[in-house]
Amino acid sequence: LKHGRVAMLATLGWTVQASGGGVIKFPLEGGLAALSAAPLEANAQLWGMASGMGFLQIILTCGVIELVTESTGTHYMSPGGDGYIDIFGYSKSGEDLTELQTQELKNGRLAMIGIASFFSAALIPDSVPGYPW
């Protein structure tokens, strides 16, 4: 489920950046400007701007989230766990939980295919039919 959630966020971020949604001004070489509409170019711009410290902050934040989810009570993948990470204490059970898990799993799988196709289209021209839309 975690990889599906990450893929859903990555797909959303890619589509927002590619559609010109990057409106926040960053201090780039030519002064304050929005990032490139091409997500991989925007990534390179951010990498050059922060000299890696921003990405280190992201990795550390992800590590803290992992630490919190792995240390809360019964491990979600143990025999006593239900496979669902419930950090905020909102729990469902029975048929509702099974339906939600199935929906999230299917959407996560689709998002993984989507972000893989975005990367393929960006790195290998004409590898994805119909891209760019």
Side-chain angles (χ1 to χ4, degrees):
L1 289 175
K2 284 184 186 180
H3 293 97
R5 291 173 182 161
V6 170
M8 285 187 256
L9 288 173
T11 304
L12 176 66
W14 190 289
T15 55
V16 167
Q17 189 66 32
S19 64
V23 295
I24 300 173
K25 306 281 187 204
F26 288 92
L28 301 175
E29 293 85 22
L32 285 178
L35 297 175
S36 170
L40 293 180
E41 290 176 13
N43 188 19
Q45 287 174 326
L46 286 173
W47 184 265
M49 179 181 67
S51 67
M53 291 308 293
F55 289 98
L56 179 63
Q57 181 181 12
I58 291 170
I59 290 170
L60 288 174
T61 302
C62 290
V64 167
I65 291 171
E66 278 291 314
L67 185 66
V68 168
T69 59
E70 295 293 323
S71 64
T72 55
T74 305
H75 192 268
Y76 66 97
M77 293 302 289
S78 67
D82 58 4
Y84 188 71
I85 302 170
D86 190 17
I87 299 174
F88 302 110
Y90 176 76
S91 61
K92 287 192 166 203
S93 62
E95 226 175 274
D96 288 342
L97 179 64
T98 305
E99 184 179 337
L100 286 175
Q101 285 177 329
T102 303
Q103 289 174 354
E104 188 173 10
L105 189 62
K106 288 181 178 180
N107 289 332
R109 288 175 179 163
L110 184 61
M112 286 185 244
I113 292 170
I115 196 66
S117 69
F118 285 155
F119 272 108
S120 296
L123 298 175
I124 306 167
D126 298 327
S127 64
V128 178
Y131 185 84
W133 43 88

